[in-house]
Amino acid sequence: MHKSITILVLCLFFCLVLSAENPYKGFEDIIAALDKDGYNIVKVAKYKKSRGALAYHRTAVNYETKKPKQLFYLEGNAFEMGYLTGVLAHEDVEITCSKFIDGVLTDFLNGDVGTGRRNFILEIVKTWLKEGVKSVRPDVPQEYIDEMKGMVAGCKKMNLKTEVSVSKLLMVNVGFDCILSRYYTLDFSNIYGIKPEELNAPVMCNDFSVFGNATVDKKHYFGRDFMFPTGGIMEYRLGMTVYNPTDGRLPMVAVNCPGMVGSVTTMNSRGVGMAVDNLPGNNCNPKRVGINSIMMLRHVTHRATSARHAVDIMVDVPRGVSWLYFIADGTNDEAVVVEGGATMDKMDFPAFANQDFMWLQMLPNSTFLNNHENQQHRKGLTFRWNDYKYPQEFLKFNADMFNYFEKREHKNMWSTRGYVNKNYEEKNCPLYYFFPPQRENKDDVLIMTNFSIVPSMRLCGMNPWTVNVYAKRYDDMQWRYDELNVQILDSYGKIDEKKAIEIIDYLAPYKKFPHYYDKIKSSPDGKTKIIKGAVSLCNMTDRVIHSHVGYYADGWIKATLDNYLSKK
């Protein structure tokens, strides 16, 4: 009797389950796309006719927390995509808004600075942040304000007591532009009594593009190593977001985390990808910061149908901070490094440099630039395309600079396979006061680290204050560029997707330089290091992006953009 009742109850239970509405009904196409990329869908949301989904990777988890890597799929207009983000990840958005800024700001100060001094400097920087965010808001395109408003509404839907606000989201997305516009340009020693050695300069990024004869399969690969303070947030929450707008903008995939409207790496449905790297320069405008860095990537990638189109869009965007942008175009097999700063109709490049060296004629003046510079300048931007040819006349200034700083101009230093520093511990750069040539002499290879190569733009980084703040970084910037160049040349003609991933991951502790990251934070058990940002490889031909985030022991994740764009 009891057995019959039990069977009856179980039958009734399963009938009720089967008759209940499937929460994933209408998401079958998204589930199929996620499955192909190794994800399982775990949460969905709908707003009006738009869909959002959160998925966890089946095998890639965070080494410390064991939480799976995540991918978001969002569709709709700006407000709707923001709202869906809030509903799907309100707790992550809350944490990003409350802890990310403070965490990263701490990394901008030298670890030896005492507590009292640290708090004093942090209060100054936070004041800049609040003032800058307020002034930059009018320049933020309305669609991103709408997205932030939607995110706030979604978070409130899930938690009426949420402290997420548009102001806080703006701080996350444009705050560092506001800080760096002053960090690069103001002599703190005269204004606040702050010494350069009290500041820490986070400048570590690497990028490359290879295609044509460089690759064995003739595909276009765009490698991007985003090395930036994580603030104790990004190593746990960085993942990918697929944006599928319904308002006319192009679909794209981004490497970011909930609360970041901007992106650190992007790739759109037309095969255009972008990255942004720090570029210390004096060509900034703290009074009008404008749109830069991660917000610039999101804005341009949603619109650009080619690298040429992307450049045109950037020219017309108000900017106030010096940054490097890498643009890869897998449809037309082109790539360009945009060396940029504040929007300016005309630029007096020598005026940005060390005037003592200008007076001693150790740096090129305007006449020399006019006679030998071969780049077009558009509103404060210069462009180093994949077929760029470096004007060799600028190398003549290097001898005096190396002698002045008692450095050595060794044999073959400026050759295609040359090194200024033969290893990452050597200190042979005369700070930033020299003109390194572009190493790449093949039109299907382009490389970028954290410095300008175009001579006129290089002068913008030769301001004494900027140079003093970043004095400890210049050797590393140059060495990373030189080493990346040699690794690509060693594999030239044999690069496929696997090899391209190996190359962009060249600084990982399990590769050729196991001690490069010895000073980076380890996991609690000391067995692996955190990834300071994200290492990504974009197959621009097939529109597939692979990323490594969290810890170096973690698995890689990927997103195949086209799979998420099919019709239901």
Side-chain angles (χ1 to χ4, degrees):
M1 179 68 177
H2 291 294
K3 185 176 180 181
S4 299
I5 293 174
T6 302
I7 294 173
L8 179 61
V9 169
L10 287 174
C11 289
L12 289 171
F13 172 76
F14 284 114
C15 286
L16 288 171
V17 170
L18 292 172
S19 63
E21 183 179 354
N22 180 358
Y24 300 137
K25 184 178 181 181
F27 287 83
E28 291 81 4
D29 56 327
I30 304 305
I31 292 172
L34 291 166
D35 180 66
K36 292 177 182 177
D37 284 332
Y39 291 88
N40 291 327
I41 197 165
V42 295
K43 189 176 181 180
V44 296
K46 290 183 179 179
Y47 184 73
K48 297 183 178 179
K49 294 182 179 181
S50 298
R51 303 173 299 167
L54 166 62
Y56 285 165
H57 201 274
R58 286 196 286 269
T59 59
V61 301
N62 184 278
Y63 181 84
E64 180 181 350
T65 66
K66 308 307 178 187
K67 182 179 179 180
K69 307 294 179 181
Q70 56 192 24
L71 181 147
F72 291 88
Y73 170 84
L74 304 169
E75 65 186 23
N77 61 29
F79 183 90
E80 291 164 354
M81 290 193 293
Y83 182 88
L84 292 168
T85 302
V87 170
L88 293 168
H90 70 100
E91 292 177 341
D92 282 347
V93 175
E94 187 95 44
I95 290 172
T96 301
C97 284
S98 63
K99 296 182 179 180
F100 180 60
I101 293 292
D102 285 348
V104 176
L105 286 182
T106 301
D107 283 338
F108 272 74
L109 302 182
N110 192 305
D112 296 330
V113 176
T115 302
R117 191 71 176 157
R118 175 181 298 275
N119 292 337
F120 168 72
I121 299 173
L122 283 175
E123 286 305 311
I124 293 172
V125 176
K126 287 180 181 179
T127 299
W128 297 344
L129 179 60
K130 292 176 183 177
E131 293 174 351
V133 167
K134 184 177 180 180
S135 66
V136 80
R137 182 164 177 166
D139 280 329
V140 177
Q142 186 60 43
E143 63 211 45
Y144 304 113
I145 298 294
D146 290 344
E147 186 170 335
M148 293 177 197
K149 289 179 178 178
M151 205 174 296
V152 173
C155 288
K156 286 185 176 180
K157 171 72 174 178
M158 305 304 293
N159 175 16
L160 287 175
K161 296 182 179 180
T162 182
E163 295 184 1
V164 174
S165 66
V166 172
S167 295
K168 289 184 177 181
L169 288 168
L170 279 168
M171 286 186 186
V172 170
N173 288 281
V174 304
F176 293 105
D177 295 321
C178 299
I179 294 169
L180 292 176
S181 67
R182 302 198 189 196
Y183 196 75
Y184 291 156
T185 58
L186 296 181
D187 189 334
F188 297 174
S189 60
N190 291 334
I191 303 173
Y192 304 106
I194 301 173
K195 301 176 182 178
E197 55 267 27
E198 293 181 300
L199 304 175
N200 181 44
V203 179
M204 301 183 295
C205 292
N206 312 286
D207 312 78
F208 71 79
S209 184
V210 291
F211 52 91
N213 292 330
T215 63
V216 69
D217 50 14
K218 305 305 178 185
K219 294 185 178 181
H220 190 136
Y221 297 109
F222 164 36
R224 191 281 193 277
D225 183 5
F226 175 70
M227 306 156 70
F228 195 77
T230 64
I233 298 297
M234 287 200 294
E235 65 263 41
Y236 305 117
R237 289 170 177 80
L238 266 181
M240 296 188 192
T241 304
V242 174
Y243 296 97
N244 193 3
T246 57
D247 54 13
R249 291 179 291 163
L250 293 173
M252 59 175 278
V253 59
V255 177
N256 59 9
C257 62
M260 289 178 65
V261 174
S263 313
V264 301
T265 308
T266 59
M267 179 183 67
N268 72 18
S269 58
R270 299 294 289 271
V272 177
M274 290 187 70
V276 59
D277 294 1
N278 289 82
L279 175 65
N282 201 36
N283 50 329
C284 299
N285 182 6
K287 294 182 179 179
R288 189 177 182 185
V289 175
I291 302 302
N292 315 266
S293 66
I294 64 172
M295 288 296 289
M296 178 72 83
L297 263 60
R298 178 82 189 279
H299 182 67
V300 175
T301 309
H302 266 316
R303 291 164 170 77
T305 56
S306 67
R308 302 279 171 177
H309 186 204
V311 163
D312 290 340
I313 295 169
M314 291 183 67
V315 169
D316 292 329
V317 175
R319 308 170 313 277
V321 192
S322 56
W323 287 97
L324 288 166
Y325 299 90
F326 199 104
I327 306 173
D329 181 346
T331 301
N332 300 291
D333 272 347
E334 287 190 308
V336 60
V337 172
V338 181
E339 302 180 0
T343 301
M344 299 181 187
D345 290 328
K346 294 183 179 181
M347 293 185 69
D348 181 2
F349 292 99
F352 292 102
N354 186 314
Q355 294 305 297
D356 290 339
F357 289 147
M358 292 300 306
W359 183 79
L360 292 170
Q361 299 182 13
M362 295 172 69
L363 294 174
N365 57 25
S366 295
T367 300
F368 192 92
L369 286 174
N370 291 335
N371 289 337
H372 300 289
E373 175 65 282
N374 61 6
Q375 280 300 290
Q376 177 188 14
H377 305 91
R378 298 174 62 188
K379 293 186 179 181
L381 300 177
T382 62
F383 311 97
R384 182 163 63 90
W385 289 90
N386 51 282
D387 59 354
Y388 173 76
K389 305 302 177 187
Y390 186 81
Q392 299 293 312
E393 294 85 356
F394 287 89
L395 296 181
K396 77 171 191 176
F397 293 95
N398 290 342
D400 285 343
M401 284 300 180
F402 275 77
N403 288 333
Y404 182 90
F405 287 95
E406 299 180 344
K407 304 295 182 180
R408 187 167 62 92
E409 239 187 319
H410 51 74
K411 185 179 180 181
N412 298 324
M413 178 181 284
W414 309 122
S415 68
T416 301
R417 298 179 64 94
Y419 287 84
V420 176
N421 299 300
K422 295 184 178 180
N423 58 66
Y424 64 82
E425 294 179 331
E426 190 174 2
K427 309 295 181 186
N428 193 46
C429 289
L431 298 175
Y432 200 66
Y433 296 117
F434 68 108
F435 293 91
Q438 174 172 288
R439 301 287 189 193
E440 315 93 281
N441 64 355
K442 300 179 184 297
D443 291 352
D444 43 23
V445 176
L446 187 63
I447 302 170
M448 178 176 90
T449 57
N450 294 105
F451 59 85
S452 289
I453 287 179
V454 174
S456 53
M457 192 60 73
R458 179 91 178 176
L459 288 171
C460 297
M462 295 186 183
N463 171 267
W465 166 258
T466 309
V467 171
N468 287 337
V469 171
Y470 286 84
K472 296 180 180 180
R473 301 288 188 179
Y474 293 120
D475 289 287
D476 179 68
M477 295 178 193
Q478 186 66 47
W479 175 81
R480 284 186 283 110
Y481 173 79
D482 294 341
E483 176 62 28
L484 188 54
N485 170 64
V486 169
Q487 291 209 17
I488 290 174
L489 286 177
D490 286 346
S491 300
Y492 185 85
K494 298 174 287 185
I495 300 174
D496 57 12
E497 190 170 86
K498 181 179 178 181
K499 175 57 68 173
I501 289 175
E502 289 179 6
I503 293 172
I504 196 56
D505 204 29
Y506 74 121
L507 296 177
Y510 41 73
K511 290 295 183 64
K512 184 179 178 181
F513 308 103
H515 299 294
Y516 182 82
Y517 285 128
D518 275 356
K519 295 181 180 179
I520 297 298
K521 176 185 172 184
S522 298
S523 58
D525 63 8
K527 293 183 178 180
T528 186
K529 297 284 186 179
I530 67 166
I531 298 173
K532 296 279 282 188
V535 185
S536 302
L537 189 282
C538 298
N539 176 338
M540 305 304 298
T541 305
D542 299 327
R543 290 172 291 282
V544 180
I545 179 170
H546 303 262
S547 282
H548 201 193
V549 297
Y551 285 90
Y552 278 102
D554 298 353
W556 285 65
I557 57 177
K558 74 171 184 178
T560 307
L561 181 57
D562 290 1
N563 289 346
Y564 297 86
L565 308 182
S566 60
K567 300 295 184 180
K568 290 191 292 182

